[in-house]
Amino acid sequence: MTAPPCPPLLRAALPAARTRSSAALARSLGAAALAVSATGCLVISPPAYEPPEKTAPVLTAVFPPPYRPVHIDLLNPLDKIKDFGATVLSEDNGEPVQIALYIDYGRRTSNKYPYRRSVDAPSVAAGTIAGGQRPFTRTLDLNIESIPNDGVTPERECHTLTMMASHALNENKCNCPDDPDDMSWITWQLITCDPDEPTCPTSCPALDCETTPCLFCDDPSLAEGCTDS
């Protein structure tokens, strides 16, 4: 069955509507052509870009496991070199992540330091969260760095190694992170004796701040600076 023909008035209106639509399209194309010819190119503004906000680094231990004490025989030069591996995840905005190693972190010394030894360590190159965790290794060489050996067993043999990460370490704050909100750390237990010796501890008690003077890097008193005496 064929469609009925359009009424005479409708047939007359269709060409007129097509004419008006064609004229409007031509005017739009002409305006675009005029804009291109005036500047030589059609410029489209790029969307505004905001860099991601910098975040505090997050450290994750890789090896050794932080729950397992690390025995170091101080009479064996080869055993006095230990590697400690971790990953860091952070949005750095181009700033490298600074790394510090503290021996006996949290034990306040007489000269107001929050650790008994500090070991220099290279920084980690800047990265992004989208780039994922960045693995790195730092070495503790007790042939170069000394470790406290005062006290009696087991205090003499029981120590800790803390790996601290931040975007800025401040020498005026005992080489602690400048911003307490921009830091992360991992602590391993060190036992400095031959594990085959019967008097060598297999584990060490946790730091007791009720019996031992304690101080940590997020303590506001560090803003007063550290002393050398």
Side-chain angles (χ1 to χ4, degrees), residues 13-223:
L14 287 176
R18 293 194 186 102
T19 302
R20 287 194 296 271
S21 299
S22 300
L25 177 61
R27 286 194 299 270
S28 298
L29 293 176
L34 180 61
V36 171
S37 63
T39 61
C41 61
L42 183 61
V43 178
I44 301 176
S45 299
Y49 172 75
E50 293 292 337
E53 184 178 352
K54 186 171 66 175
T55 64
V58 176
L59 288 179
T60 302
V62 176
F63 65 88
Y67 57 83
R68 183 181 302 165
V70 179
H71 281 83
I72 302 176
D73 183 1
L74 296 179
L75 300 179
N76 183 349
L78 296 179
D79 201 41
K80 293 169 69 175
I81 302 174
K82 298 291 185 182
D83 288 336
F84 295 85
T87 65
V88 62
L89 180 66
S90 55
E91 195 71 50
D92 301 326
N93 285 353
E95 294 185 31
V97 177
Q98 306 294 324
I99 303 295
L101 300 177
Y102 306 140
I103 294 175
D104 293 340
Y105 173 61
R107 294 193 180 204
R108 177 175 179 153
T109 64
S110 58
N111 52 357
K112 301 181 181 178
Y113 278 77
Y115 47 77
R116 301 179 77 187
R117 299 284 189 276
S118 178
V119 182
D120 292 334
S123 61
V124 179
T128 63
I129 290 179
Q133 294 177 318
R134 288 160 282 157
F136 65 96
T137 301
R138 296 296 177 265
T139 300
L140 175 66
D141 187 350
L142 293 180
N143 294 296
I144 300 174
E145 305 294 338
S146 63
I147 196 164
N149 62 354
D150 53 337
V152 297
T153 301
E155 181 182 353
R156 180 175 59 227
E157 292 86 6
C158 288
H159 302 278
T160 59
L161 177 73
T162 297
M163 177 184 289
M164 181 70 72
S166 177
H167 288 101
L169 300 175
N170 190 337
E171 293 184 357
N172 294 326
K173 295 174 67 175
C174 308
N175 204 39
C176 277
D178 188 53
D179 182 359
D181 293 327
D182 180 41
M183 64 188 226
S184 177
W185 66 93
I186 306 168
T187 296
W188 289 271
Q189 191 176 86
L190 305 181
I191 302 179
T192 55
C193 55
D194 184 351
D196 294 331
E197 292 291 330
T199 58
C200 184
T202 58
S203 63
C204 294
L207 179 63
D208 184 0
C209 293
E210 292 185 359
T211 59
T212 302
C214 293
L215 183 65
F216 300 94
C217 281
D218 58 354
D219 194 303
S221 66
L222 288 181

